[in-house]
Amino acid sequence: MVRSINPKKAKRKNKKKGEASSSSVPSMPTRVWQPGVDKLEEGEELQCDPSAYNSLHGFHVGWPCLSFDILGDKLGLNRTEFPHTLYMVAGTQAEKAPLNSIGLFKISNVSGKRRDVVPKTLVNGDDDMEDEDEDEESDSDEESEDGASTTPIIQVRRVAHHGCVNRIRAMPQNPHICVSWADSAHVQVWDMSSHLNALAESETEGKDGTAPVLNQAPLVNFSGHKDEGYAIDWSPATAGRLLSGDCMSMIHLWEPASGSWTVDPIPLTGHTASVEDLQWSPAEANVFASCSVDGTIALWDVRVGKTPALSFKAHNADVNVISWNRLASCMLASGSDDGAFSIHDLRVIKVGDAKVAHFEYHKHPITSIEWSPHESSTLAVSSGDNQLTIWDLSLEKDEEEEAEFKAQTKEQVNTPQDLPPQLLFVHQGQKDLKELHWHNQIPGMIISTAADGFNILMPYNIQNTLPDLAA
């Protein structure tokens, strides 16, 4: 499992997109570049196409972060209007243990523009592409038409954390309660309510990024693990219930108790190597899944003993990450160290091979995988090949529909023919991608972290809304 990132302060190239004008550069057909397949020739460079996004922003916070989480807020459940405001928590990977911290972030003025997948002008039969191009160019400017800045406003409060933060997660029911896995083999629970309140109540708190690192004692400091770890997950069904797994293959169950937690000193055992990820079932309160360097995925019921209810071989290499589909709870996704990721149908796991889809598009380790909270067939994947990909498993190749779409948009892009039809979007530009998350309350928004900082992205072709759970 490739986890570590180079502990040096991230440097970001602030090259403005689309600097060259059409008059100074010879007109050449646009071509999709495939990492690991295409090579840059001398004098060539990659350019981001801003028209592929409804919103795209990047920022860094000093030391890189291996893990982060998006915090639930009270700003609305289905937010579609720009600019957006969001909250997140992240833990650093500093060069020296005392330099690490947990950061609470308020990111406001996240600007963007919603585009139509098929431009309205073309649908109506008009052939005016110049206006569309002008709109796209204006989107990349630092100021909007009314003169307002389109640059996100970053506010941060920092809490000292001794040692690198391997993974950090916020409790879904109470987002101010966070748990961190440290490389010192300690698992700590924190109450961040005072910091979140300070950020919510002020437009200037921590805005310049020079706010001091505050000292705060954790609510709980568990040192019962024999080694460091990365696997941790809060229960979506039982507030405060928690799992933590370590590199010695042990899993501990945490139960909330009178404002604190009771950690079972007897671990759950079943894997023969490091436990890499844990996921509670979205449908059954006592069931969870784990994955391991031993290549297996195990399913557990905490009411029945200390061993898995069942286990199956999922990959031929380390299983780095898993994600349980919250909208289709029979589906579990897994990502491997060999770059492959698979979809497993848990309904048929006892009668045969549960693998219903398998993709080998990525050629480097899968570092993060997560189902969309908005569409049951959509998931996002990040890899060590510096690609973040979005997939819609409901898609199949339709040559007639593809030809019609190209005719409508007058598509001139030389699209590779060997890409899987389920591949919906490829995001690049970050170095050493480590983790991604969908925003539960802003449909289509993904945040990712890498060695050189964070990206906030909203691909233009991810046009969805939150599901009607009452239906």
Side-chain angles (χ1 to χ4, degrees):
M1 167 82 181
V2 180
R3 305 191 191 92
S4 61
I5 48 185
N6 193 4
K8 295 181 180 179
K9 285 194 175 181
K11 295 181 180 179
R12 192 169 187 85
K13 294 181 180 179
N14 294 317
K15 182 177 180 180
K16 192 173 180 181
K17 302 182 183 71
E19 288 183 359
S21 66
S22 58
S23 60
S24 60
V25 178
S27 177
M28 297 182 66
T30 304
R31 184 167 62 91
V32 176
W33 187 78
Q34 300 180 82
V37 177
D38 300 326
K39 294 182 179 180
L40 286 178
E41 301 296 337
E42 185 176 353
E44 288 186 329
E45 65 177 15
L46 297 177
Q47 292 185 339
C48 172
D49 181 3
S51 67
Y53 300 85
N54 286 336
S55 181
L56 176 61
H57 300 280
F59 64 96
H60 63 88
V61 292
W63 296 110
C65 299
L66 179 70
S67 182
F68 75 102
D69 204 4
I70 299 173
L71 306 182
D73 56 50
K74 298 179 181 179
L75 301 178
L77 293 178
N78 188 5
R79 310 205 290 271
T80 59
E81 298 299 321
F82 292 105
H84 290 298
T85 296
L86 59 97
Y87 293 84
M88 55 180 263
V89 61
T92 64
Q93 293 270 309
E95 190 174 24
K96 297 180 180 179
L99 299 178
N100 283 288
S101 63
I102 296 174
L104 280 300
F105 296 86
K106 176 185 178 182
I107 307 171
S108 55
N109 198 43
V110 179
S111 60
K113 176 180 179 181
R114 184 167 294 279
R115 295 177 171 85
D116 296 308
V117 175
V118 178
K120 292 180 180 179
T121 54
L122 293 177
V123 173
N124 295 333
D126 297 329
D127 191 21
D128 186 3
M129 294 297 290
E130 292 184 2
D131 292 341
E132 197 72 24
D133 293 338
E134 290 174 2
D135 288 342
E136 290 167 6
E137 290 176 5
S138 67
D139 291 339
S140 62
D141 293 340
E142 294 183 358
E143 291 187 355
S144 61
E145 293 180 358
D146 60 5
S149 173
T150 59
T151 302
I153 299 171
I154 314 284
Q155 296 173 248
V156 60
R157 298 259 294 193
R158 300 182 188 274
V159 175
H161 184 279
H162 189 81
C164 295
V165 178
N166 290 346
R167 195 157 290 174
I168 191 163
R169 293 291 182 264
M171 188 193 302
Q173 299 88 345
N174 298 294
H176 63 280
I177 302 296
C178 302
V179 60
S180 62
W181 234 129
D183 65 356
S184 61
H186 288 213
V187 182
Q188 299 174 317
V189 179
W190 306 82
D191 184 351
M192 301 297 190
S193 56
S194 62
H195 309 294
L196 288 174
N197 290 338
L199 292 173
E201 294 169 1
S202 172
E203 299 297 325
T204 58
E205 176 71 28
K207 186 176 179 180
D208 57 3
T210 60
V213 177
L214 306 173
N215 289 311
Q216 176 179 323
L219 296 176
V220 177
N221 182 13
F222 178 64
S223 57
H225 284 284
K226 304 303 181 184
D227 195 2
E228 67 175 317
Y230 295 80
I232 201 160
D233 196 37
W234 292 103
S235 168
T238 305
R241 181 178 263 187
L242 179 68
L243 290 165
S244 56
D246 61 37
C247 294
M248 295 290 287
S249 77
M250 304 301 173
I251 301 171
H252 285 274
L253 174 65
W254 302 47
E255 296 284 6
S258 303
S260 185
W261 280 263
T262 299
V263 186
D264 192 337
I266 303 175
L268 294 92
T269 58
H271 288 293
T272 59
S274 173
V275 176
E276 297 294 278
D277 204 2
L278 292 161
Q279 284 272 284
W280 284 100
S281 166
E284 300 182 61
N286 296 298
V287 175
F288 72 91
S290 61
C291 67
S292 170
V293 167
D294 63 19
T296 68
I297 292 175
L299 298 176
W300 311 68
D301 188 328
V302 297
R303 298 166 298 185
V304 184
K306 299 288 184 179
T307 57
L310 59 89
S311 179
F312 62 95
K313 187 72 171 179
H315 292 273
N316 294 322
D318 306 0
V319 187
N320 295 338
V321 286
I322 52 176
S323 178
W324 209 318
N325 195 321
R326 283 177 278 178
L327 303 179
S329 60
C330 60
M331 295 297 174
L332 184 74
S334 60
S336 173
D337 216 44
D338 61 10
F341 70 94
S342 300
I343 312 300
H344 311 273
D345 187 342
L346 303 181
R347 295 172 296 184
V348 299
I349 197 168
K350 291 185 177 180
V351 297
D353 187 4
K355 190 178 295 181
V356 295
H358 181 77
F359 299 92
E360 298 182 356
Y361 170 82
H362 292 284
K363 305 305 179 185
H364 290 76
I366 303 300
T367 58
S368 187
I369 191 167
E370 187 169 289
W371 290 100
S372 166
H374 318 123
E375 296 287 345
S376 62
S377 62
T378 302
L379 76 163
V381 180
S382 68
S383 169
D385 60 13
N386 299 328
Q387 293 185 79
L388 186 160
T389 55
I390 303 174
W391 303 74
D392 186 344
L393 303 183
S394 68
L395 294 179
E396 295 181 359
K397 189 174 182 64
D398 188 322
E399 295 182 357
E400 291 184 4
E401 186 177 277
E402 188 176 288
E404 181 181 353
F405 179 81
K406 286 185 176 181
Q408 285 181 314
T409 59
K410 298 195 174 179
E411 183 63 71
Q412 297 298 316
V413 174
N414 180 22
T415 305
Q417 296 300 309
D418 56 348
L419 294 181
Q422 295 82 10
L423 180 58
L424 201 61
F425 196 88
V426 177
H427 172 70
Q428 300 176 69
Q430 289 181 278
K431 182 180 178 181
D432 203 4
L433 276 159
K434 288 301 176 184
E435 195 168 277
L436 66 85
H437 295 295
W438 297 85
H439 198 299
N440 288 336
Q441 297 168 254
I442 306 178
M445 176 180 284
I446 294 175
I447 304 177
S448 56
T449 185
D452 54 357
F454 291 88
N455 274 188
I456 302 173
L457 57 139
M458 297 181 71
Y460 89 101
N461 60 342
I462 311 296
Q463 306 263 8
N464 48 36
T465 57
L466 289 173
D468 184 2
L469 298 179

